[in-house]
Amino acid sequence: MKQTKKNHFRIAVKKCCASCARKDLTRAVSARWCEKHEKKVMACDYCNRWRMSRQLRMAGFARGKVKRIEYLRYLMAEREIESVAEQNGLTIEAKSIEQIRVEFEKEYGFIYINI
C-alpha cells in the first residue's frame, strides 16, 4: 500500500527510498540497491528511518507563483549564448541566475504571474 506524508505546504509526498533525505541508492543494470542497508529495494520501499528530503519539504514554497514563459525563454536564450561561446572556444563568465533575473526584471518586469 502506498503511503504519503504531507509537507508544510500540504503537498502529499510518497514515502519511498527516492523521497528520503537519507537515500543512498545505486542502480545496477535494472535493480535498485540501498547502500545503507545493503539490500535490493523495490520502487515503493522505505524503512523506519525514512525522512522527507529537503527538496520535497520545500515543494510548494512559491505558493502559486509561476514563472512567466517570457522569462523562461529569456533564461534559456542566455544559457544558449553561453553554451555556444564555450563550444567556439571563447571564455566568458556565466551569469548567475540572480543576474539574469535582475536583467529581465529591469527590461520586462516581474518574472512571476499569479494564478
Side-chain angles (χ1 to χ4, degrees):
M1 184 167 112
K2 294 179 187 175
Q3 290 196 356
T4 61
K5 182 170 182 173
K6 291 191 178 194
N7 71 4
H8 299 299
F9 304 102
R10 302 187 49 80
I11 294 175
V13 173
K14 180 179 154 187
K15 282 186 167 185
C16 64
C17 289
S19 64
C20 183
R22 298 181 177 101
K23 74 179 170 192
D24 192 8
L25 297 176
T26 58
R27 180 172 241 172
V29 177
S30 63
R32 293 179 184 169
W33 183 262
C34 178
E35 295 289 336
K36 293 200 184 316
H37 297 288
E38 296 182 347
K39 68 175 187 173
K40 181 180 176 181
V41 293
M42 301 304 291
C44 299
D45 285 352
Y46 68 95
C47 66
N48 59 358
R49 295 183 61 214
W50 183 88
R51 186 178 77 195
M52 192 180 302
S53 70
R54 181 186 180 285
Q55 295 91 338
L56 293 172
R57 276 188 288 126
M58 297 305 292
F61 181 69
R63 297 191 173 144
K65 291 183 179 176
V66 175
K67 290 180 180 157
R68 293 171 46 193
I69 191 69
E70 297 87 358
Y71 169 70
L72 297 175
R73 288 182 179 140
Y74 184 88
L75 175 60
M76 201 166 63
E78 288 292 323
R79 294 299 187 221
E80 182 65 26
I81 290 167
E82 293 168 0
S83 177
V84 168
E86 186 179 313
Q87 289 172 2
N88 291 329
L90 300 173
T91 53
I92 62 169
E93 189 173 328
K95 293 178 184 176
S96 72
I97 195 78
E98 182 66 17
Q99 287 174 310
I100 294 171
R101 183 189 62 77
V102 168
E103 287 176 6
F104 181 86
E105 286 184 338
K106 279 182 183 175
E107 195 163 334
Y108 302 105
F110 203 46
I111 66 170
Y112 294 107
I113 58 173
N114 290 320
I115 54 172

